[in-house]
Amino acid sequence: MALTGGKKAAVRKWTAVALTASMLVTMMPLAAYAGDTWPFKGESAHGSNQPSVHGYTSGQIANWSPATDPYAQKLRSKVPLQNRILPFASTQAKPTLSTNVKMMNVAGDYGNAFIENAPYTNKFAQYHFNFWQYIDYYSYWHGTASAYTPPEYYDNLAQSDWQQKWFEFGMLNIPNPTYTDAAHKNGVLSLAGVFFSNNDRGQQTYKQMIVKDGSGNFPVAQKMIEMAAYFGYDGYFMNQEELSPNVATADIPAYIEFLKVLQSGGLYVQWYDSLSTSTGANTFARTFNNNNISMLHDKVNHQAVTNSFFFDYGVGNTQITSASSYLASYNAANGTAYTIFDIGFAGLEAGRDRFSSAQGTALSSKLSSGLPRLSLATLGADFVHAGLDEDMGQSWPVSHRSENNYQWMTNVRDQLWWSGPNLNPKNTTVSAANTAADVYADNRYWPGIASVIAERSVIGSTNFYTNFNTGHGLSYYKDGAVSSNSEWSNMSLQDVPVTWQWWQDTTGNRLTVDYDYGTKYDFSATQRYQYEKLGGYKGGSSLVLNGNLNAENFLRLFKTDLSVNANSKLSITYNKPSANDASAAYIGLIFKDNPSQVVKVAIPNAGNKTNGWITQQLELGAYAGKSLAAFGLVVAPGSSAIAGYQLNVGQIRIFDGSAIKPAAPSGLAITEAFVDTGEMNIKWNMDTDYSKVKQYDIYINDVYVGGKYDEVFYIKALPSTAGTLKVVPIGADGLEGFAATLPFNLNAAASGISVNSQENGQLSVSWVNPPNAAGNTTVSLRSLNWIMTAQPIVAQQTAAAGATSVTFSNMPINGDDFLVTVTTGGGSSVSKSGHFIDKIAEPYSEQWSWNGNTLNLPMPNTRDWRYMYVYENGVAKSFPVTYISGSAGSFAKIIRGRTTKASLSFTSTAATVYIVMEDYAGNKSQPLYVRS
């Protein structure tokens, strides 16, 4: 929510020369075809100190600690996994669908970002998943560059061609924490992605992951358990697709033991069925059999290996019948009780086949009488956003999907994929003619996920609220007024989505229903929407109904299991900009004891035009003792049709007074203020009881700057350099608790901080004193993150009153990150991040070995390497890279992330062999002789 434009992160290492080349993020056969992601620009560009998610190699996992992992504290999800209410078929859009059928969604988050994948930022046009009610598991699919990959490697060539990415993707892609927040709010498990392939992870191989220590333990598995607990996600989607060489059959027992360790850590693990345990080949059974069952269950020791399988695409009736028969026999022979809906997920290639006839055929081949015969999984359903330009026939540098005025297309495409061809989960009949060509889709073949998956819900207890907030906006609204005029994205702020988009019961015209993001929301290119744009009441959006109201219309909103008591009430905040008319509006209640009846509770004077937002409170005590199974909004025209009818709903709250008004959080503090870039990090002591506090909202001088259920927050663009910082808890009934406040004044702090790190180990810090500065100035320095020194650097100096510089001696020259903080006498503390000058490269230090004339070189684990040179008799040896064949694909060095994994083991008869490492800054190490 910006005032200042961002810069590339100063705490990362920068390269002297930008490189170009390639790395594929899609693969066959697990291949989601969708558009690449390009860095945001202008005010939305990544902030100098903005947290971002990065990838991990096995070596980095083995050495992982949150104390040395960049931004780790700000990449955590604290929202606990919420329980879903019990199934109730009578309120389903399709009552015949069984909730035994589960759904896995393997897709990107925030548009599939490879570098600078921020948890929250000032960018509206990103992918925001809004259909949690149809899925049980979400695994994040795209890969992210390993930490300290210089952002400039993601140059124009790398962006224009997926085969031109010359940087390393980690084999582990942890979830974006805000997506985990949203998943957990909806009872969905959030899974990290593990991926090994022949092309896409360079020198990385499963062998590095399943290494045992001297005690026979798996350090990487133990750390993966620790990381899941720390970051707050629930398990792993394991995709093993290496070949040439294949997985060694001798390694498969250890691989199974590794997976069992993850199980012992309480994690959910889904296995992509891509491995023949008899040959180690990358093959796809698409059913259960004696070969692959060992990756699910250890029948000798009666232990779970994984929780379920993602079967490769092409699963049809023959394979499903075989799997069901095999499971029945296996259960009988081994005393297990597996059901195919719990452990078998048939894959659909969402990102490749999209809305095509092939997609419709692929789905129908998994059905019997219209019902799934096993659970389902999709890869790449974020194509609705990420693949927009491709579907428009556009290519780089066109990026309409990152432009705000194309987001209405993303919304419609998302609804077509999930709700079905009529944007109505009640009616999923495909269209005879394509009426979705305006959004570069086709609604003649794909019936939508809602046609085969029953909707779920977490809305129970006695309290519920929604602001119809989708997790992004073009402004942020507080009580119907603009609090921040900046665009934003933050999935942590997404409300539980409307259960049905859009199920309307009517004998007349279906109204247009949409999320209204305000006057800056540009849908001028379409005739689909004609409403007056009002924006949100609290958050970024409101729910809008408009059109020709010619019959009663019941818009079903939420599936629930809410207990009604004598104190229960419902408040609705709405805005009716259309003229006074004879229309009526009601809350439509469906109770569990009579689900065929819609009980209408009138909203008084709902036909009157409002002067802005109004709130009306309705009594529900008359229905005490009942269970509310669903509710929605009923609007009716009166005696004649009403053209141009519009009603915006900004908030609905159901409550009974049991929610406690949250106390003000203690310990509010500014941890770093980056005055020269307009950024700030803050912290407070959070209430860890999620039943009492749902999130914390943060304001500066009453301008909204973000929110999250957490105890730390990064502010990208300060709206003011002085005033009051305020953190407000939100209770279970949607109301604000008591605020914590903290005055600050950065105008009374130093500015213009400059740091000069020199090759002689001296580091000088200079600054500009504020007006009327008095007293000594304290300058502290500490190193950050993945340090290359034996211990973190911690130093401090005191400068006399009026001084404007200090110099530290004996500082590193290895490129480590640092944080400098300047505190003037009687003033505020301000900070600047950076990195020490980089004049050294670490030599190769892994446990190399010879087996005859075969040299085995374990993958370098140092964070700071770009090239690895192997000299035979003084001549640099050439190595092949992925995606380029023949002599054109060989280079006289091993290139991090691109040289094939087979290059780490080769035969040499040379008399002398030595290795030289080169880092991102162009420094070369001393040679390490492995034969002389």
Side-chain angles (χ1 to χ4, degrees):
M1 305 165 194
L3 277 187
T4 60
K7 301 176 183 177
K8 297 296 182 182
V11 296
R12 294 178 179 154
K13 295 187 69 92
W14 292 78
T15 85
V17 180
L19 300 181
T20 58
S22 100
M23 187 164 166
L24 176 66
V25 295
T26 56
M27 69 301 303
M28 285 295 290
L30 191 62
Y33 296 84
D36 209 340
T37 300
W38 307 326
F40 299 140
K41 300 177 181 178
E43 288 190 349
S44 296
H46 206 68
S48 297
N49 298 279
Q50 187 165 14
S52 60
V53 179
H54 58 85
Y56 300 81
T57 67
S58 293
Q60 291 163 355
I61 296 170
N63 296 319
W64 181 82
S65 165
T68 57
D69 190 359
Y71 309 118
Q73 190 182 22
K74 296 182 181 66
L75 299 177
R76 307 177 73 180
S77 171
K78 300 292 185 67
V79 177
L81 182 67
Q82 298 301 286
N83 294 322
R84 284 177 159 173
I85 62 176
L86 294 175
F88 188 53
S90 296
T91 55
Q92 291 175 191
K94 295 185 177 298
T96 59
L97 293 179
S98 170
T99 53
N100 290 331
V101 181
K102 296 179 173 59
M103 181 78 199
M104 161 65 108
N105 186 26
V106 183
D109 53 70
Y110 283 137
N112 228 18
F114 304 131
I115 292 178
E116 302 176 339
N117 183 13
Y120 39 84
T121 193
N122 54 334
K123 179 67 176 176
F124 173 72
Q126 298 191 78
Y127 180 61
H128 289 73
F129 182 61
N130 203 34
F131 290 89
W132 300 101
Q133 64 270 30
Y134 294 116
I135 71 170
D136 301 277
Y137 312 97
Y138 197 115
S139 178
Y140 305 85
W141 188 252
H142 47 73
T144 45
S146 53
Y148 295 100
T149 300
E152 64 265 36
Y153 283 129
Y154 199 21
D155 62 8
N156 286 345
L157 185 57
Q159 294 170 45
S160 64
D161 181 356
W162 51 257
Q163 292 192 359
Q164 295 301 319
K165 292 183 174 63
W166 292 75
F167 50 84
E168 177 185 75
F169 284 67
M171 66 81 169
L172 171 62
N173 179 183
I174 69 169
N176 186 303
T178 58
Y179 257 77
T180 301
D181 285 349
H184 284 179
K185 284 184 185 180
N186 291 276
V188 174
L189 270 65
S190 175
L191 307 182
V194 173
F195 176 47
F196 294 103
S197 83
N198 209 45
N199 296 314
D200 302 296
R201 295 300 181 267
Q203 296 80 24
Q204 297 172 75
T205 172
Y206 75 92
K207 285 180 175 289
Q208 300 149 2
M209 183 180 72
I210 64 170
V211 168
K212 292 184 178 181
D213 62 17
S215 301
N217 298 316
F218 294 97
V220 174
Q222 294 295 339
K223 284 293 185 178
M224 287 171 67
I225 295 170
E226 186 181 340
M227 291 174 73
Y230 179 84
F231 289 117
Y233 57 87
D234 307 292
Y236 294 94
F237 175 68
M238 303 290 299
N239 182 20
Q240 176 61 59
E241 289 196 77
E242 291 183 63
L243 48 85
S244 302
N246 296 331
V247 173
T249 55
D251 289 338
I252 291 176
Y255 212 138
I256 290 172
E257 290 302 312
F258 177 92
L259 295 171
K260 286 163 65 175
V261 173
L262 298 182
Q263 288 286 299
S264 70
L267 301 177
Y268 185 93
V269 179
Q270 185 167 97
W271 176 257
Y272 181 50
D273 182 42
S274 56
L275 177 67
S276 168
T277 57
S278 61
T279 66
N282 181 215
T283 58
F284 307 94
R286 301 184 177 93
T287 190
F288 292 113
N289 57 37
N290 287 332
N291 182 295
N292 64 11
I293 197 69
S294 61
M295 303 308 294
L296 178 76
H297 182 249
D298 178 353
K299 63 182 179 182
V300 175
N301 297 303
H302 306 288
Q303 294 173 322
V305 178
T306 59
N307 298 86
S308 61
F309 277 17
F310 183 128
F311 287 124
D312 185 61
Y313 321 103
V315 174
N317 280 309
T318 299
Q319 291 89 347
I320 298 170
T321 298
S322 174
S324 298
S325 176
Y326 182 87
L327 278 183
S329 298
Y330 191 87
N331 286 337
N334 295 281
T336 51
Y338 286 122
T339 68
I340 197 166
F341 294 111
D342 287 336
I343 64 173
F345 290 73
L348 292 165
E349 254 285 18
R352 182 189 67 192
D353 297 333
R354 304 187 182 184
F355 298 107
S356 69
S357 60
Q359 192 75 273
T361 299
L363 177 61
S364 63
S365 70
K366 299 163 179 55
L367 310 179
S368 175
S369 300
L371 302 177
R373 298 186 62 198
L374 74 174
S375 291
L376 301 175
T378 61
L379 173 67
D382 56 318
F383 80 87
V384 297
H385 176 85
L388 176 62
D389 296 293
E390 290 176 338
D391 289 347
M392 296 178 73
Q394 302 294 319
S395 59
W396 185 87
V398 174
S399 181
H400 291 319
R401 65 183 174 276
S402 64
E403 299 170 13
N404 293 341
N405 58 334
Y406 285 86
Q407 295 316 294
W408 69 269
M409 288 191 183
T410 289
N411 294 342
V412 174
R413 286 158 61 92
D414 215 15
Q415 291 162 11
L416 286 167
W417 178 257
W418 293 95
S419 296
N422 305 296
L423 310 185
N424 178 2
K426 184 66 174 177
N427 176 15
T428 57
T429 303
V430 295
S431 178
N434 184 19
T435 60
D438 62 326
V439 294
Y440 302 89
D442 196 327
N443 60 351
R444 293 175 295 174
Y445 311 109
W446 176 246
I449 296 295
S451 70
V452 288
I453 298 293
E455 57 273 32
R456 288 87 147 131
S457 174
V458 293
I459 305 172
S461 184
T462 61
N463 293 288
F464 170 71
Y465 71 92
T466 179
N467 300 303
F468 300 100
N469 193 354
T470 61
H472 64 160
L474 291 160
S475 300
Y476 190 92
Y477 298 85
K478 172 76 182 299
D479 299 331
V482 173
S483 175
S484 169
N485 207 29
S486 297
E487 59 184 278
W488 58 276
S489 287
N490 186 346
M491 286 289 284
S492 293
L493 301 180
Q494 186 187 67
D495 290 327
V496 172
V498 172
T499 306
W500 303 284
Q501 298 182 39
W502 309 103
W503 179 4
Q504 300 172 63
D505 295 330
T506 183
T507 59
N509 177 60
R510 290 183 78 224
L511 295 176
T512 296
V513 186
D514 193 25
Y515 291 109
D516 179 349
Y517 295 98
T519 56
K520 291 189 288 184
Y521 187 42
D522 185 356
F523 48 70
S524 59
T526 182
Q527 295 299 308
R528 286 178 179 265
Y529 307 115
Q530 302 293 323
Y531 58 84
E532 179 184 345
K533 291 175 279 190
L534 303 179
Y537 176 71
K538 188 177 189 304
S541 51
S542 62
L543 188 74
V544 57
L545 297 78
N546 92 296
N548 180 25
L549 181 61
N550 60 6
E552 184 175 275
N553 191 309
F554 178 31
L555 175 66
R556 297 181 184 235
L557 292 176
F558 293 100
K559 184 179 179 70
T560 64
D561 189 5
L562 289 164
S563 299
V564 180
N565 58 52
N567 297 317
S568 295
K569 298 174 176 60
L570 183 150
S571 75
I572 179 169
T573 300
Y574 67 92
N575 192 337
K576 184 175 180 291
S578 56
N580 290 345
D581 53 42
S583 67
Y586 312 83
I587 293 294
L589 307 175
I590 297 176
F591 294 105
K592 204 169 211 176
D593 61 354
N594 189 2
S596 62
Q597 179 186 11
V598 179
V599 177
K600 296 189 292 187
V601 180
I603 302 170
N605 305 313
N608 294 343
K609 179 179 180 178
T610 62
N611 182 22
W613 296 94
I614 66 170
T615 298
Q616 299 217 48
Q617 184 169 291
L618 310 178
E619 297 292 331
L620 302 182
Y623 311 104
K626 291 181 178 289
S627 176
L628 183 61
F631 74 90
L633 187 66
V634 180
V635 293
S639 58
S640 61
I642 301 172
Y645 175 83
Q646 180 172 336
L647 182 69
N648 284 57
V649 183
Q651 184 184 76
I652 293 177
R653 297 173 51 243
I654 296 176
F655 56 96
D656 66 350
S658 62
I660 299 171
K661 184 174 182 177
S666 62
L668 177 60
I670 297 170
T671 53
E672 291 92 21
F674 302 98
V675 65
D676 294 329
T677 57
E679 301 166 281
M680 182 180 284
N681 289 319
I682 64 172
K683 67 176 183 179
W684 60 91
N685 298 320
M686 67 182 293
D687 190 329
T688 57
D689 188 345
Y690 186 70
S691 69
K692 296 178 181 177
V693 175
K694 298 301 182 183
Q695 71 186 46
Y696 292 90
D697 288 340
I698 302 148
Y699 299 85
I700 289 180
N701 298 341
D702 292 324
V703 174
Y704 191 79
V705 292
K708 198 175 185 293
Y709 182 68
D710 208 336
E711 59 191 0
V712 293
F713 198 80
Y714 161 81
I715 301 170
K716 183 175 181 179
L718 295 172
S720 176
T721 54
T724 301
L725 171 66
K726 181 169 68 173
V727 176
V728 186
I730 306 299
D733 56 0
L735 297 182
E736 292 186 345
F738 295 99
T741 59
L742 180 69
F744 71 99
N745 184 8
L746 300 183
N747 298 322
S751 60
I753 301 173
S754 177
V755 182
N756 181 23
S757 175
Q758 301 175 55
E759 190 172 355
N760 62 4
Q762 290 191 335
L763 183 143
S764 59
V765 181
S766 62
W767 63 91
V768 176
N769 282 314
N772 304 317
N776 296 340
T777 297
T778 301
V779 181
S780 61
L781 169 70
R782 61 186 175 95
S783 54
L784 300 172
N785 306 327
W786 287 2
I787 58 170
M788 289 161 48
T789 54
Q791 297 292 329
I793 302 299
V794 178
Q796 182 172 299
Q797 289 200 32
T798 300
T804 58
S805 67
V806 296
T807 299
F808 295 87
S809 300
N810 302 315
M811 292 292 105
I813 57 170
N814 59 7
D816 273 353
D817 297 337
F818 63 69
L819 182 75
V820 168
T821 300
V822 179
T823 305
T824 52
S828 301
S829 296
V830 291
S831 300
K832 185 177 183 65
S833 63
H835 55 265
F836 298 107
I837 192 170
D838 192 356
K839 290 298 181 181
I840 59 173
E842 290 183 303
Y844 184 73
S845 59
E846 309 306 324
Q847 295 297 311
W848 54 271
S849 63
W850 287 95
N851 183 8
N853 283 328
T854 299
L855 176 61
N856 298 303
L857 298 172
M859 180 178 164
N861 277 328
T862 175
R863 72 146 200 232
D864 188 24
W865 74 284
R866 181 56 183 151
Y867 301 128
M868 178 176 175
Y869 302 87
V870 179
Y871 291 90
E872 298 177 303
N873 296 333
V875 179
K877 180 177 174 61
S878 291
F879 297 91
V881 296
T882 61
Y883 298 120
I884 307 174
S885 60
S887 59
S890 292
F891 294 81
K893 53 195 170 188
I894 292 174
I895 302 171
R896 184 175 183 177
R898 279 303 302 276
T899 304
T900 63
K901 63 181 183 292
S903 299
L904 295 177
S905 180
F906 56 87
T907 299
S908 177
T909 59
T912 62
V913 181
Y914 63 89
I915 299 168
V916 173
M917 305 295 290
E918 182 177 336
D919 66 14
Y920 285 125
N923 301 306
K924 290 187 177 181
S925 72
Q926 292 295 314
L928 170 71
Y929 281 84
V930 296
R931 178 186 283 168
S932 59

